[in-house]
């Protein structure tokens, strides 16, 4: 079955709580007007970590037959308990699922999975790459799959692992517009919003902008909470009152409570993984010729978190770094 030519493959692309938005350079296609009558709700997921595992659970809850694989036996066992059908390898996922989501931790893993799908012998598949990687890594992924007759989409996600659990994600989709349109129903069952941003790679470009702000807002949250602590304010009241106000942000609302408790596990985004993402953003900014002074100022703070052994902790743990460097004796009478 050709996933692009079968009108019943993914069903109606327009669900009431989800709209597929199109960027200014997105191509127009007659496929966006097509409204198939039924949905073959089978999807494969390669990579069942924090994000992939949460997505798999949400799709199972929404009636999808999810075929998953991860190199970690513990992740496979855990997701099997959540009614995910566990495949023996990536090739089996490719042969059994017309649409495949990949959520992977590194460019090396993405390259390997692309080769395994290409070598699987499966007929044409739509392969949706959700990871945060450099543009060069994504283009290599696309080239491998295109050569094998598949369609690759670059669709990184905006949101943390905690947001993934609540379907509070945004899909930055880019690539073949017909394939993106056919995936809209799938996206709506694990995310709150998706956008067709046009040419392959624009999804990653948008993700870099989003993560640029996340890096700054996370550190800004830690600085503000230390300032509040030094001022003698009840930190829980600060969370309750600042979060909904003009100075609040999604990062403040998510990370400030963790800073108050001083508990950074389970991590919604590990510092070690975040450092990888920050290096990608820094290189991207350099490539397009844009200085990012605020973003650059945050990088040593995340590096110090790694040096303090916080690599497996949530990025909210930058609070512990700033406590060491920002606190000083108050002026007399303050």
């Amino acid at each position: 079955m050709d996933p692009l030519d079968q009108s019943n493959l993914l069903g109606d692309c327009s669900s009431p709580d989800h709209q597929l938005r199109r960027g200014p350079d997105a191509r127009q296609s007659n496929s966006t007007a097509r409204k198939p009558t039924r949905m073959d709700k089978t999807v494969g997921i390669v990579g069942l970590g924090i994000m992939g595992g949460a997505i798999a659970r949400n799709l199972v809850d929404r009636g999808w037959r999810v075929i998953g694989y991860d190199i970690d036996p513990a992740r496979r066992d855990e997701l099997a308990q959540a009614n995910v059908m566990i495949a023996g390898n990536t090739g089996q996922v490719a042969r059994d699922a017309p649409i495949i989501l990949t959520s992977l931790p590194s460019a090396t893993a993405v390259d390997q999975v692309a080769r395994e799908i290409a070598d699987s012998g499966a007929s044409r598949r739509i392969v949706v790459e959700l990871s945060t990687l450099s543009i060069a890594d994504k283009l290599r992924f696309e080239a491998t799959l295109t050569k094998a007759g598949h369609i690759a989409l670059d669709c990184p996600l905006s949101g943390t692992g905690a947001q993934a659990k609540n379907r509070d994600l945004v899909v930055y989709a880019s690539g073949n517009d017909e394939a993106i349109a056919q995936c809209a129903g799938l996206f709506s069952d694990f995310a709150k919003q998706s956008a067709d941003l046009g040419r392959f790679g624009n999804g990653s470009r948008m993700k870099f902008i989003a993560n640029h702000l996340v890096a700054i807002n996370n550190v800004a949250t830690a600085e503000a909470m230390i300032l509040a602590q030094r001022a003698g304010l009840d930190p829980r009241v600060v969370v309750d009152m600042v979060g909904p106000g003009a100075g609040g942000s999604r990062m403040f609302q998510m990370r400030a409570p963790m800073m108050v408790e001083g508990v950074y596990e389970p991590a919604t985004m590990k510092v070690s993984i975040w450092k990888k993402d920050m290096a990608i953003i820094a290189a991207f900014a350099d490539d397009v010729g844009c200085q990012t002074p605020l973003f650059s100022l945050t990088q040593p703070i995340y590096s110090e978190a790694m040096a303090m052994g916080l690599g497996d902790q949530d990025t909210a743990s930058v609070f512990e770094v700033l406590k060491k460097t920002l606190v000083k004796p108050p002026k007399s009478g303050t």
Side-chain angles (χ1 to χ4, degrees):
M1 180 182 293
D2 185 334
L4 285 182
D5 294 339
Q6 297 298 318
S7 62
N8 67 349
L9 181 64
L10 283 177
D12 192 340
C13 292
S14 58
S15 62
D17 62 345
H18 182 99
Q19 289 186 334
L20 182 71
R21 301 187 181 185
R22 304 179 63 80
D25 68 340
R27 296 166 297 278
Q28 297 300 313
S29 169
N30 291 333
S31 67
T32 58
R34 188 166 55 219
K35 292 188 176 182
T37 57
R38 65 178 288 269
M39 182 180 287
D40 177 3
K41 299 179 72 170
T42 298
V43 64
I45 302 180
V46 180
L48 300 173
I50 293 174
M51 297 296 285
I55 290 168
R57 287 184 172 89
N58 280 326
L59 290 175
V60 168
D61 288 345
R62 290 192 162 236
W64 287 80
R65 175 176 175 256
V66 179
I67 303 169
Y69 179 72
D70 195 287
I71 61 172
D72 183 349
R75 299 301 296 173
R76 297 198 299 266
D77 292 345
E78 181 180 341
L79 271 297
Q81 296 299 313
N83 295 319
V84 173
M85 300 180 64
I86 302 300
N89 51 51
T90 296
Q92 183 183 342
V93 175
R95 289 186 292 273
D96 291 350
I99 310 294
I100 305 160
L101 307 178
T102 61
S103 179
L104 300 161
S106 68
T108 300
V110 166
D111 284 344
Q112 179 176 338
V113 166
R115 289 194 300 270
E116 289 171 352
I117 294 172
D119 294 341
S120 68
S123 59
R124 181 167 55 169
R125 298 297 190 240
I126 298 174
V127 188
V128 183
E129 217 303 294
L130 306 176
S131 315
T132 301
L133 300 166
S134 71
I135 300 295
D137 293 331
K138 291 290 182 111
L139 290 174
R140 189 163 55 249
F141 176 85
E142 180 192 33
T144 299
L145 291 170
T146 299
K147 185 177 180 180
H150 303 300
I151 296 174
L153 299 179
D154 170 39
C155 302
L157 306 172
S158 179
T160 66
Q163 289 174 281
K165 290 180 181 179
N166 298 321
R167 295 178 54 244
D168 188 20
L169 298 172
V170 177
V171 182
Y172 297 143
S174 61
N176 182 292
D177 62 319
E178 185 177 357
I180 292 172
Q182 291 197 30
C183 288
L186 169 65
F187 294 159
S188 72
D189 277 345
F190 70 82
K192 64 181 179 182
Q193 183 178 335
S194 67
D196 180 343
L197 300 173
R199 65 189 175 102
F200 187 95
N202 276 0
S204 286
R205 294 179 180 93
M206 187 71 77
K207 178 62 184 294
F208 300 157
I209 304 306
N211 275 6
H212 164 275
L213 288 170
V214 168
I216 296 168
N217 288 335
N218 185 51
V219 172
T221 294
E223 182 177 296
M225 291 305 296
I226 291 170
L227 179 60
Q229 184 183 72
R230 297 295 290 173
L233 295 172
D234 184 330
R236 290 177 175 80
V237 175
V238 173
V239 171
D240 291 341
M241 299 306 296
V242 172
S249 68
R250 291 300 298 275
M251 284 302 99
F252 184 93
Q253 292 174 326
M254 293 181 60
R255 300 273 164 70
M258 300 176 75
M259 295 171 186
V260 171
E261 300 297 331
V263 177
Y264 310 110
E265 290 183 304
T268 62
M269 170 57 74
K270 294 181 179 180
V271 174
S272 57
I273 296 175
W274 187 245
K275 279 290 294 177
K276 178 266 294 182
D277 290 0
M278 292 190 69
I280 292 170
I281 296 168
F284 168 72
D286 187 57
D287 286 344
V288 301
C290 181
Q291 296 186 43
T292 53
L294 293 180
F295 175 79
S296 297
L297 286 172
T298 70
Q299 294 198 55
I301 298 170
Y302 291 104
S303 294
E304 179 61 20
M306 289 289 293
M308 290 172 58
L310 301 174
D312 288 334
Q313 305 284 300
D314 191 272
T315 54
S317 62
V318 297
F319 182 76
E320 303 301 322
V321 176
L322 294 187
K323 278 199 306 187
K324 291 173 47 181
T325 59
L326 298 186
V327 174
K328 63 180 184 179
K331 289 184 178 180
S332 177
T334 300

